[in-house]
Amino acid sequence: MNINANPEDARLTSGKNISYWTDSVQHAVQHPLSENIETEVVIVGGGLAGLSVAYCLSQTGMKVVVVEDGDIGSGETGRTTAHLVTCLDDRYYHLEKVFGKEKTQLIAESHQLAIEFVQRTVRKEKIDCRFECLDGYLFLHPSDNKDSLEREYLAAIAAGVRVVTVDEVPGLLHKQKALRFMAQAQFHPLQYLQGLCKAITENGGKVYTGTHATDIDHEGITTSDGFTVKAKHIVVATNSPVNNRFTMFEKEYAYRTYVIGALVKKDILPKALWWDTGDFESNPKVPPYHYVRLHPYNDQYDMLISGGEDHPTGDTSKTEIAEEDRYRLVEAWTRKNFPIEEVVYHWSGQILEPMDGIAFIGRNPYDRDNVYIVTGDSGNGMTHCSFAGLLITDLINGRENKWEELYSPSRFTLKESAPAFKHLINDSLSLLKEMLTFNGSEELSTVAIGEGKIMSLQNDPFGVYRDVTGGLNIVSAKCTHLKCGVKWNADELSWDCPCHGSRFTYEGKVINGPANFDLDAYHYDEINNQVTKI
Ligand SMILES: Cc1cc2nc3c(=O)[nH]c(=O)nc-3n(C[C@H](O)[C@H](O)[C@H](O)COP(=O)(O)OP(=O)(O)OC[C@H]3O[C@@H](n4cnc5c(N)ncnc54)[C@H](O)[C@@H]3O)c2cc1C
Ligand code: FES
């Protein structure tokens, strides 16, 4: 059970809380790169995107090397809920408005292909990851327009998706109309990654964990231990691309999202996926929605895994509900809708919402043609990342792919991006102002055990956290991406940047991009009442 796991385990994942997935697999000993090597393709990031790309390339006979700075799946893939869907979280009626009917059909087809690809791979590589096909039910959130299900139905049908309307949702405590999306899927994401890893190495690929890529360019990468991987092609699959400091953060926005795992008596719920259409009162632009699935737990119970209550990373000001209080809301909503008993897991994670609804998969903008990224995959990262394996493999092998332009990271759908871009600039300016006007010096002794605070010490902003041993952990409060001020996240014990979603442990180690460097850490000299850089 994960609740209040040892923060030391943050090595395994991107925060204090340990997900059920991380808790239920064996962790391999880390295998860092310890020499200079050459290969055809180097892939940075050992999540679903990186390993899907590596697997597909290795299938075509290419020599691949994966470098991952934590463990396999220690990023967002270890924190997902792993629905594989054609019921997309940016509604088809929205996608049709942005991209038109024809491209929306292509979008739907790509997610369908991704599900089929995962199914094929599971069979071919004999991966024991509880992959199963099942139906999913989308029902109306009370704050959403009454006609939104009807609109979604028509747009999904026009996009070629297998969907019907139903008067009742199996498993839900209340009778409610819904859309039933056929042939969705689910799996255990980390067991799937372990299967991919095994296949990659059997195909001659190499996977290095505990290996942080500090410098990344068109010739390859250099690690924090000073070793290099020279390569003909470079794929950056770090969720938020750490090699792209200035373009992509304008096109995607980071959100935190919250998950509980609650017990339900075995076999009382049908196997299905469930979603509501999202809370338009809390955020009309990106309405946070609830997402639910089942997973076997023990002989008596299944576990209902239920998530939602998203908010922009580092910013809970709209609702004034702090990160650590969000599980309560997820639990209350879940109890209202499903017959759950005890909550045995909770964790949070990060979602990158693309400006126009679909991921960015392809060549890195303003870079050489041999550098690729995968990012912005919203709540549909399982299919987006799997599809990235197919698309990037075609691009690297010089094969035509009809999705290349659609998913291109260089696209800029102006109508969709302009308001969001304005919002980003405003946010960054107000954060900068907030930081510049912070000048009251405070006593370090006021920081209680378990508390994190931004403090002005020697006229500079610092993040100060007092850990369970009473020790002070002091880091610079200026994000290493573009210097915005970080905020304390008492749920995951991390410093989160509200500008573009970079995150750091309380010791300053970077755990989410676009930042790729740690916060400077400081030592407090009690006698001279001074902080000095470690
Ligand atoms: C709570 C939650 C629920 C979700 N539910 C769903 C769902 O039901 N269905 C769905 O389709 N999607 C879902 N998603 C989204 C999906 O999980 C993600 O989009 C997907 O897992 C992202 O995979 P990735 O490989 O891009 O990133 P990650 O899994 O984060 O992998 C990136 C890896 O790069 C590594 N890395 C970063 N920087 C470096 C560096 N410099 N050097 C070396 N390694 C580095 C990180 O350690 C990390 O392991 C959910 C996400 C969350 C958080
Ligand atoms: S993430 Fe961009 S400034 Fe922090």
Side-chain angles (χ1 to χ4, degrees):
M1 166 157 34
N2 85 321
I3 291 180
N4 294 326
N6 178 358
E8 285 300 306
D9 287 349
R11 176 180 76 80
L12 301 174
T13 181
S14 56
K16 179 201 73 171
N17 299 313
I18 304 294
S19 74
Y20 168 75
W21 314 119
T22 307
D23 209 16
S24 57
V25 290
Q26 284 272 330
H27 291 279
V29 175
Q30 289 196 340
H31 177 46
L33 179 70
S34 56
E35 58 180 338
N36 297 332
I37 54 173
E38 285 192 26
T39 184
E40 283 179 289
V41 189
V42 62
I43 295 135
V44 186
L48 184 59
L51 292 190
S52 299
V53 172
Y55 172 72
C56 291
L57 285 168
S58 73
Q59 289 279 101
T60 67
M62 282 232 168
K63 271 170 68 184
V64 299
V65 166
V66 178
V67 295
E68 159 59 49
D69 64 6
D71 289 351
I72 290 305
S74 60
E76 302 317 309
T77 307
R79 297 182 155 249
T80 187
T81 48
H83 303 205
L84 294 111
V85 299
T86 56
C87 172
L88 304 184
D89 62 3
D90 287 284
R91 300 277 93 87
Y92 282 105
Y93 61 75
H94 168 76
L95 296 173
E96 202 181 85
K97 226 164 67 190
V98 179
F99 294 98
K101 271 206 166 88
E102 221 170 281
K103 284 186 178 164
T104 304
Q105 284 169 1
L106 274 183
I107 294 168
E109 191 186 341
S110 63
H111 288 272
Q112 183 61 46
L113 283 178
I115 297 175
E116 288 164 14
F117 161 74
V118 173
Q119 183 168 29
R120 255 194 338 268
T121 305
V122 166
R123 266 199 216 124
K124 179 164 190 278
E125 306 299 342
K126 300 189 176 51
I127 304 176
D128 180 9
C129 62
R130 290 188 181 272
F131 176 92
E132 48 194 333
C133 287
L134 69 186
D135 292 342
Y137 296 86
L138 176 70
F139 53 93
L140 202 72
H141 187 280
S143 66
D144 193 2
N145 278 332
K146 293 276 170 294
D147 68 352
S148 114
L149 282 184
E150 176 66 13
R151 285 166 70 207
E152 183 61 356
Y153 171 73
L154 293 174
I157 288 284
V161 175
R162 289 177 60 204
V163 58
V164 293
T165 54
V166 290
D167 290 330
E168 208 165 329
V169 181
L172 210 60
L173 289 173
H174 312 285
K175 192 169 169 187
Q176 190 149 354
K177 287 196 167 142
L179 299 185
R180 173 175 160 208
F181 287 80
M182 263 84 85
Q184 314 295 288
Q186 64 178 21
F187 60 8
H188 186 308
L190 295 188
Q191 288 174 346
Y192 179 67
L193 287 195
Q194 289 184 341
L196 288 186
C197 248
K198 183 165 169 278
I200 292 163
T201 36
E202 282 169 2
N203 291 340
K206 300 255 186 294
V207 179
Y208 296 97
T209 48
T211 302
H212 180 72
T214 12
D215 296 313
I216 303 168
D217 65 20
H218 63 283
E219 293 183 337
I221 64 144
T222 305
T223 73
S224 51
D225 293 333
F227 299 109
T228 57
V229 183
K230 296 265 173 239
K232 292 193 183 107
H233 301 274
I234 295 88
V235 180
V236 180
T238 51
N239 200 230
S240 178
V242 295
N243 59 330
N244 183 314
R245 281 168 71 83
F246 299 112
T247 329
M248 295 315 293
F249 74 79
E250 297 158 15
K251 300 183 176 187
E252 58 189 18
Y253 321 105
Y255 285 80
R256 299 299 301 162
T257 185
Y258 298 83
V259 178
I260 60 165
L263 301 183
V264 283
K265 291 235 162 56
K266 201 141 200 90
D267 298 331
I268 61 167
L269 285 178
K271 278 189 182 156
L273 305 175
W274 298 269
W275 316 272
D276 67 15
T277 55
D279 185 349
F280 283 73
E281 273 163 21
S282 127
N283 183 352
K285 275 234 150 270
V286 189
Y289 64 96
H290 295 100
Y291 44 96
V292 187
R293 62 168 283 184
L294 269 181
H295 189 81
Y297 185 67
N298 61 23
D299 289 347
Q300 290 173 321
Y301 288 102
D302 289 325
M303 182 163 54
L304 194 74
I305 300 174
S306 175
E309 305 300 336
D310 309 10
H311 63 84
T313 298
D315 179 8
T316 52
S317 58
K318 257 207 187 109
T319 50
E320 292 191 352
I321 300 166
E323 284 88 347
E324 63 276 23
D325 294 329
R326 301 248 162 187
Y327 302 106
R328 213 175 13 86
L329 302 183
V330 180
E331 183 180 344
W333 179 88
T334 312
R335 283 197 189 283
K336 234 198 279 174
N337 289 288
F338 296 93
I340 57 168
E341 297 183 20
E342 189 192 356
V343 173
V344 286
Y345 279 87
H346 70 243
W347 68 89
S348 73
Q350 188 122 311
I351 300 273
L352 292 172
E353 277 299 331
M355 61 183 181
D356 53 13
I358 61 168
F360 300 100
I361 306 167
R363 293 194 166 84
N364 188 32
Y366 307 110
D367 205 336
R368 303 286 178 98
D369 264 6
N370 65 334
V371 184
Y372 307 81
I373 56 172
V374 182
T375 188
D377 38 35
S378 65
N380 301 130
M382 296 292 103
T383 38
H384 273 138
C385 292
S386 303
F387 189 71
L390 303 169
L391 176 50
I392 289 189
T393 298
D394 277 355
L395 298 183
I396 288 180
N397 280 300
R399 291 193 295 247
E400 236 177 70
N401 185 301
K402 63 181 177 180
W403 285 274
E404 175 176 358
E405 192 197 328
L406 182 63
Y407 281 112
S408 168
S410 295
R411 76 177 187 272
F412 199 77
T413 34
L414 188 64
K415 197 165 140 266
E416 291 308 308
S417 316
F421 187 56
K422 199 168 138 217
H423 152 91
L424 261 177
I425 297 282
N426 285 345
D427 270 12
S428 306
L429 287 178
S430 73
L431 283 159
L432 200 62
K433 200 166 138 218
E434 192 181 310
M435 186 157 244
L436 292 174
T437 54
F438 186 93
N439 53 18
S441 185
E442 289 181 58
E443 288 296 317
L444 285 169
S445 59
T446 62
V447 184
I449 283 189
E451 193 181 15
K453 260 188 183 179
I454 298 289
M455 304 186 84
S456 173
L457 308 168
Q458 293 155 204
N459 293 325
D460 253 331
F462 288 88
V464 182
Y465 167 67
R466 193 181 291 283
D467 60 38
V468 281
T469 67
L472 282 173
N473 297 266
I474 305 175
V475 295
S476 162
K478 289 182 190 166
C479 172
T480 58
H481 176 224
L482 296 177
K483 303 285 175 216
C484 278
V486 294
K487 303 262 173 170
W488 180 239
N489 174 344
D491 171 39
E492 296 286 3
L493 303 188
S494 59
W495 295 106
D496 295 2
C497 182
C499 281
H500 321 111
S502 295
R503 296 178 58 245
F504 307 85
T505 65
Y506 62 78
E507 291 160 317
K509 184 181 176 307
V510 63
I511 44 177
N512 279 107
N516 196 28
F517 293 93
D518 299 345
L519 297 173
D520 285 337
Y522 288 78
H523 167 72
Y524 174 54
D525 171 358
E526 234 171 302
I527 300 171
N528 297 308
N529 192 27
Q530 262 195 347
V531 287
T532 47
K533 204 157 138 190
I534 295 173

